[in-house]
Amino acid sequence: MSNLFHQLPSIDSLLRQSAMQALSAEWGHVRLVAILREMQQSAREHIRQQHQLPAWNQDWANHARSLLHQQSRSGLRPVLNLSGTVLHTNLGRAQLAETAVAAAARAMRSPVTLEYSLDDAGRGHRDRALADLLCQLTGAEDACIVNNNAAAVLLMLAALAPGKQVIVSRGELVEIGGAFRIPDVMTQAGCTLREVGTTNRTHLKDYRQAIEEDTALLMKVHTSNYQIQGFTRAVSEAELIALGEESDLPVVVDLGSGSLIDLSQYGLPEEPMPQRLIAAGASLVSFSGDKLLGGPQAGIIIGKKALIERLQQHPLKRALRVDKVTLAALEATLQLYRQPDKLAEQLPTLRFLTRTRQDIQAQGLRLLPAVEAACGQQFCVALAPCSSQIGSGSLPIERLPGTALTLTPRDGSGSTLMALTRKLREGDVPVIGRIHDGSLWLDLRTLEDEELFIRMIST
Ligand SMILES: *Cc1c(COP(=O)(O)O)cnc(C)c1O
């Protein structure tokens, strides 16, 4: 065995090989030496355990090259999301519009007027440009941008109701996932939660009776990821706003998703619109940048100028503010809403949501021969009607009719199916589908790069 150890080449002798010199030119001397040291260690380990040299001992340069490539692969790998969920939180939610991507890249490459006013060369405010745009789009008086909608809720509560009571219906104490629960956020913000009503029914009188000396806010939370059905009663935003005016209390609404356009015009289920709540008199409305809006991760708060001012002055705002890259991408996304008739074409989220089953079915028929050629021996390949989800807690009950490619193992074996899903996950651009009823379902609603898909399924 010690003989085998002696057969391992020294780092110096390896570095003299011409293939290694090429690697050193590409990756740098320091990194190459580090990887060769790792290889020496693993070769020794191999000899100790297997009593033979590793196969790659024949060609250290080639093995070093593949290890270097492996190490350099991003931890944020682009994937093909064929899971059937358009806004998939674990896959990064909204895919940005090309104009938003370009705006983000410009802001990354160059200094920008983030907090600089070109009018007088003085200090500007980082939210100003977006706030003006949001006011135009929603009719609000002012706006504030933070890191995500969870941060928006935290900031609204911390700035407007510290040490005070906030009234919320029991039926709206949502958990969004990732440990965001309304009661916990209240605690973090230093407010006291005053629950009113019951799980299924809350009346206006429940809110009215709960108002006390130290009540600071009336809050409404959109139950975006669940629905209570049956014998139910919820107080509408309009009723709550009227009570707020009567009692001189601000009414804040956490919309979660919220859509700046009326989705029903595309035959999609309706989602509450921030501008309608502003028109109805809500004091503040918050929603996410990367849910139905289709932009980068952000929390948007719109509403009354005096209240937004208090949010902007609060120390937490500094901790929750967004950077120039997010602001640039969000601004470009919002700009698209000025051309609503072109939105379904330009905004990927809306483009995916508005695809018809007919269109997706036609795409499936186009792809079927290539998928059969690649997998037909082991799998029965077919097209099947499926229903896609919007995702991110938006419209949880509603489904969108679409079409999926289904791959069913001819031998009926679960391990054949697992081997396929593993192979698809291990490709250069992993293909993410969904297992259902012994088959792999690839929902085509969100597939645009057909050539890439065929390449990934064929290798
Ligand atoms: C999604 C959601 C949140 C959290 O928003 P993020 O942007 O994910 O932080 C808060 N409230 C409601 C009602 C939501 O749907």
Side-chain angles (χ1 to χ4, degrees):
M1 191 157 85
S2 76
N3 192 27
L4 290 176
F5 286 119
H6 286 304
Q7 287 181 38
L8 291 177
S10 72
I11 302 259
D12 278 343
S13 69
L14 286 168
L15 287 174
R16 281 194 293 274
Q17 297 175 1
S18 62
M20 289 292 182
Q21 278 159 18
L23 283 182
S24 172
E26 188 181 347
W27 299 85
H29 177 76
V30 175
R31 185 151 184 202
L32 179 60
V33 170
I35 207 93
L36 292 177
R37 293 227 160 90
E38 279 178 34
M39 286 169 67
Q40 266 187 337
Q41 286 218 332
S42 79
R44 290 199 191 101
E45 194 57 39
H46 192 93
I47 295 170
R48 269 193 290 276
Q49 290 180 1
Q50 321 257 335
H51 306 290
Q52 58 183 358
L53 289 161
W56 48 261
N57 188 52
Q58 303 295 327
D59 192 348
W60 280 61
N62 201 30
H63 191 57
R65 182 178 302 110
S66 81
L67 288 179
L68 285 163
H69 279 286
Q70 252 176 48
Q71 275 187 354
S72 305
R73 272 224 292 234
S74 166
L76 284 175
R77 300 266 303 281
V79 300
L80 283 170
N81 169 20
L82 306 186
S83 66
T85 301
V86 176
L87 295 168
H88 198 304
T89 296
N90 298 356
L91 300 178
R93 291 195 185 160
Q95 241 170 275
L96 269 58
E98 284 308 319
T99 52
V101 174
R106 261 197 314 275
M108 282 191 274
R109 263 193 215 107
S110 154
V112 293
T113 53
L114 179 65
E115 295 189 354
Y116 186 89
S117 163
L118 288 173
D119 292 337
D120 57 2
R123 175 106 194 245
H125 192 284
R126 71 171 56 211
D127 289 354
R128 194 65 260 148
L130 261 88
D132 290 345
L133 188 49
L134 280 161
C135 292
Q136 283 175 27
L137 290 168
T138 65
E141 291 175 10
D142 206 352
C144 170
I145 317 292
V146 287
N147 188 44
N148 53 22
N149 187 46
V153 175
L154 179 67
L155 181 60
M156 291 193 294
L157 294 171
L160 305 183
K164 298 253 176 96
Q165 179 182 274
V166 179
I167 304 180
V168 187
S169 159
R170 274 210 174 81
E172 296 175 6
L173 297 177
V174 308
E175 174 181 310
I176 302 303
F180 179 90
R181 291 171 156 189
I182 291 291
D184 298 341
V185 178
M186 292 263 179
T187 310
Q188 289 301 320
C191 318
T192 311
L193 168 65
R194 177 70 195 271
E195 300 171 37
V196 296
T198 59
T199 306
N200 57 332
R201 289 173 71 84
T202 302
H203 304 270
L204 193 61
K205 67 171 192 292
D206 297 326
Y207 288 92
R208 184 175 278 125
Q209 284 163 5
I211 295 175
E212 287 171 3
E213 180 85 357
D214 71 340
T215 301
L217 285 180
L218 303 178
M219 184 175 188
K220 187 127 181 91
V221 183
H222 182 54
T223 56
S224 51
N225 56 4
Y226 65 98
Q227 245 176 40
I228 300 176
Q229 289 177 330
F231 184 52
T232 65
R233 170 83 171 86
V235 171
S236 72
E237 281 87 358
E239 289 172 285
L240 201 59
I241 288 163
L243 178 62
E245 276 163 12
E246 184 189 312
S247 346
D248 202 18
L249 288 172
V251 176
V252 304
V253 185
D254 168 17
L255 267 193
S257 204
S259 174
L260 288 177
I261 43 153
D262 182 358
L263 292 178
S264 66
Q265 67 182 298
Y266 303 100
L268 291 166
E270 245 179 297
E271 175 80 2
M273 295 167 68
Q275 60 268 52
R276 289 198 183 152
L277 288 166
I278 292 295
S283 312
L284 292 178
V285 180
S286 80
F287 51 104
S288 296
D290 55 349
K291 292 185 179 172
L292 282 172
L293 190 79
Q297 179 189 302
I300 299 169
I301 309 165
I302 56 173
K304 298 269 193 298
K305 199 167 194 63
L307 297 179
I308 295 285
E309 185 74 10
R310 282 167 67 188
L311 305 189
Q312 294 287 10
Q313 307 283 324
H314 193 274
L316 260 184
K317 171 65 198 327
R318 173 60 206 263
L320 302 175
R321 74 184 190 184
V322 297
D323 73 329
K324 62 174 182 169
V325 180
T326 298
L327 286 172
L330 188 57
E331 182 183 44
T333 305
L334 289 169
Q335 285 283 5
L336 297 176
Y337 282 85
R338 288 178 142 165
Q339 302 152 16
D341 46 332
K342 303 189 88 169
L343 198 61
E345 188 188 317
Q346 294 177 327
L347 192 72
T349 300
L350 192 61
R351 194 162 68 225
F352 296 146
L353 293 179
T354 53
R355 282 188 75 188
T356 61
R357 172 171 277 163
Q358 222 175 2
D359 173 40
I360 304 170
Q361 173 83 13
Q363 181 182 37
L365 287 170
R366 253 190 333 268
L367 293 168
L368 204 52
V371 181
E372 253 167 356
C375 311
Q377 259 190 345
Q378 275 188 297
F379 295 87
C380 173
V381 183
L383 286 174
C386 69
S387 41
S388 328
Q389 285 184 305
I390 296 175
S392 277
S394 306
L395 310 159
I397 310 288
E398 312 288 348
R399 290 287 185 276
L400 309 171
T403 297
L405 272 166
T406 60
L407 290 92
T408 313
R410 293 193 187 278
D411 62 5
S413 128
S415 57
T416 308
L417 191 59
M418 284 307 136
L420 174 68
T421 58
R422 192 168 335 104
K423 188 193 95 166
L424 291 179
R425 275 203 310 275
E426 283 169 358
D428 274 349
V429 180
V431 178
I432 313 290
R434 162 169 62 96
I435 302 279
H436 175 64
D437 255 357
S439 304
L440 174 65
W441 289 63
L442 302 174
D443 186 326
L444 300 175
R445 174 172 297 278
T446 42
L447 178 63
E448 295 199 318
D449 194 340
E450 296 181 9
E451 210 174 294
L452 174 67
F453 170 69
I454 291 173
R455 201 143 31 88
M456 288 306 116
I457 202 129
S458 308
T459 49

